[in-house]
Structures are given as C-alpha cells and as structure tokens.
Amino acid sequence: MWSYYTTLRYFIEFSYNGKNYFGYQIQPDAISVQEELEKALSTILREEIKTTGAGRTDTGVHAKKIFAHFDTEKEVDEINLPYKLNSFLPPDISIKKIFQVKDDFHARFDATYRTYEYYISLAKNPFTQESACQHWKRPLDIDKMNEACKILFEYEDFTSFAKLKTDNKTNICKMYKAEWEQDGTELKFTVSANRFLRNMVRAIVGTMVEIGSGKIKPEDLRKIIEDKHRNAAGTSAPGHGLFLVDVGYEFEAKK
C-alpha cells in the first residue's frame, strides 16, 4: 500500500523583546527566540517543527515585525493557532498572525528589504534604559550624521561594518534609506537595505556617533568604507537600542 505526505508551508508574523535572548537563531548553551518558538509550535502541533527566520538578530536586539516560516504535514488553524501560541510563549514574544504560502516561499531568501531603527537618548531617561542607547554626556551633531548618511549610498561593499569571521558569501548590500531624526531628546536612525551583514547596523551607528561627537569628519566615512576592514569603523553600538521594524516580501498568502 502506497502512502505519501503533503507538506504545507506557513509564515508567522511576530515580534519580540530581545533583552532575555542571545538573538533569534538557535545556538548551543544559550536561550534564543527560535528555540522558544519551535518548542511552542512542536508542543501545540504535536510534531517536531523547525523554523527559518527572515534574519538572525544579535544578542539583546528587538524585533517589532519579523517573519519566519515552518513546514508541517497537517493543515493549521490560522485563526486559533496564534492565540494558542501566545498563551504558551513567554510574554516577551508575541505572535501577530499565521498564514499559508506557496511551498517554496522562503522567509529569508525571498525578503526584498529589511528596515531597522536605532534609538539614542540624549538625556538620562530611566524609562528607555533597555530600549535606547544612553548618550547624554556629550552632544551629537545630527546634521553631520545625516551628511554622513548620504555617503552610504555611494557604496555597496560594507565589509568595514561586517562582523569578522562569518560565513557571508558576499558583503554587498544595496542601501535604500539611511536617515537620522530627532524628537526632543531622542534620536532615531532608520536604515533600510535589501540585506544586512551581521553587526552591520550597530557598527554603522557606532561610527555615526563618532562623527556626531566630532571625533571624525563625515567625509572620513569614505575612507572607512574603502578600507574594507572592520577595524577601520567605530565600536558597535549596544544591541538594546536596535529594532528590526519591517521585512518586505512580494507575495500573496495562499488561500
């Protein structure tokens, strides 16, 4: 007697506070968002579930909007499963929705862009200690930082902002947006590209802070990028000020 299984692929839209996690991706001897998500899915669906995320965030980094996909042999209740998962998961992980996609659609490789926001507090703020970099002892020149942002669009090789000794096949990224905004005593850096290297946004922010504080000039950014070495750039900004806020796709949910 012949038997076969049909595999269905589902996307999950979710968010998380990264304070208690060593990033999204599973790693030995460290708690991760992926581990918590897969444990919850496997328990509720009563089969071993593996997820693939849209990207892997660093330790302490947050995600306001991120996606992952998983395959299963059973049809999923797209309405009720998010409620069940939210009841099972810890309070710092929230499932927004689950929907079926084409069997070959990929959460990581089919993403067309990612957008991050980084927050800096220019005044000592007890309410943003875990969600913004505290930089209140020295002023920052936002105009110079935005001047440097324009230089980013002149390049596509961002090796100088990449974490050393990674498995990246290429350090080429296409930048879509890079801009600093100030709202009172809070600075927000918004950056969007087709892809990001590990540690890239935090390394860019750290370099921008050196420009804003007058340690280096905006035009020095060109030499930093052209050196193509991580040591040329500034120290990485703390992870807790960084948020993944959007991941873009060109698809329609499979009905």
Side-chain angles (χ1 to χ4, degrees):
M1 181 177 180
W2 292 93
S3 63
Y4 64 92
Y5 297 96
T6 300
T7 300
L8 304 175
R9 176 159 294 185
Y10 289 88
F11 256 46
I12 311 172
E13 181 186 334
F14 60 108
S15 61
Y16 57 83
N17 183 319
K19 177 186 175 182
N20 296 319
Y21 301 99
F22 287 80
Y24 172 78
Q25 191 173 28
I26 285 180
Q27 48 189 301
D29 304 319
I31 186 171
S32 67
V33 176
Q34 185 180 16
E35 178 183 356
E36 292 294 322
L37 185 58
E38 290 182 357
K39 182 170 63 176
L41 282 165
S42 298
T43 300
I44 294 172
L45 296 179
R46 298 182 181 181
E47 63 176 294
E48 185 178 4
I49 299 294
K50 298 296 183 183
T51 64
T52 299
R56 48 187 181 187
T57 54
D58 294 334
T59 299
V61 174
H62 317 289
K64 292 183 179 179
K65 184 178 182 180
I66 188 172
F67 295 86
H69 76 250
F70 69 93
D71 296 330
T72 177
E73 296 174 353
K74 61 185 66 173
E75 190 171 342
V76 164
D77 185 337
E78 299 176 15
I79 302 299
N80 290 318
L81 183 55
Y83 293 102
K84 292 180 180 179
L85 284 170
N86 281 327
S87 298
F88 194 93
L89 287 164
D92 49 15
I93 302 175
S94 175
I95 307 299
K96 300 300 177 68
K97 58 184 176 181
I98 295 176
F99 51 95
Q100 189 179 352
V101 295
K102 294 180 179 180
D103 299 342
D104 61 349
F105 206 81
H106 201 282
R108 179 182 175 188
F109 298 132
D110 285 319
T112 57
Y113 68 85
R114 283 103 170 152
T115 302
Y116 285 88
E117 292 176 350
Y118 194 94
Y119 292 87
I120 295 178
S121 180
L122 300 177
K124 188 175 182 180
N125 189 338
F127 303 108
T128 61
Q129 294 294 315
E130 297 177 355
S131 59
C133 173
Q134 304 296 304
H135 191 92
W136 47 272
K137 294 183 179 180
R138 296 185 63 182
L140 292 176
D141 189 327
I142 187 174
D143 291 331
K144 288 184 177 179
M145 294 161 75
N146 271 325
E147 184 181 340
C149 282
K150 296 176 182 177
I151 295 174
L152 292 174
F153 295 96
E154 299 175 12
Y155 298 90
E156 292 189 345
D157 188 332
F158 291 98
T159 301
S160 293
F161 302 117
K163 190 172 184 178
L164 298 174
K165 298 180 180 180
T166 65
D167 56 358
N168 290 330
K169 295 181 179 179
T170 175
N171 290 334
I172 302 299
C173 307
K174 185 172 179 58
M175 196 71 64
Y176 298 137
K177 182 178 182 178
E179 180 183 32
W180 287 92
E181 299 173 274
Q182 184 168 355
D183 183 7
T185 59
E186 186 175 78
L187 284 184
K188 180 178 72 172
F189 177 54
T190 304
V191 58
S192 184
N194 65 329
R195 62 190 291 268
F196 287 92
L197 311 172
R198 289 192 65 185
N199 202 55
M200 178 175 166
V201 178
R202 292 168 57 199
I204 290 176
V205 171
T207 306
M208 290 284 178
V209 168
E210 291 191 358
I211 292 171
S213 59
K215 290 183 178 180
I216 59 176
K217 299 177 181 179
E219 54 265 30
D220 292 335
L221 186 58
R222 289 190 178 89
K223 184 178 185 306
I224 290 172
I225 297 174
E226 290 169 7
D227 279 350
K228 298 182 182 180
H229 197 285
R230 179 63 187 88
N231 291 339
T235 302
S236 294
H240 65 267
L242 182 60
F243 293 77
L244 174 61
V245 298
D246 196 14
V247 183
Y249 298 93
E250 295 179 358
F251 69 92
E252 294 181 0
K254 184 176 180 180
K255 301 300 184 180

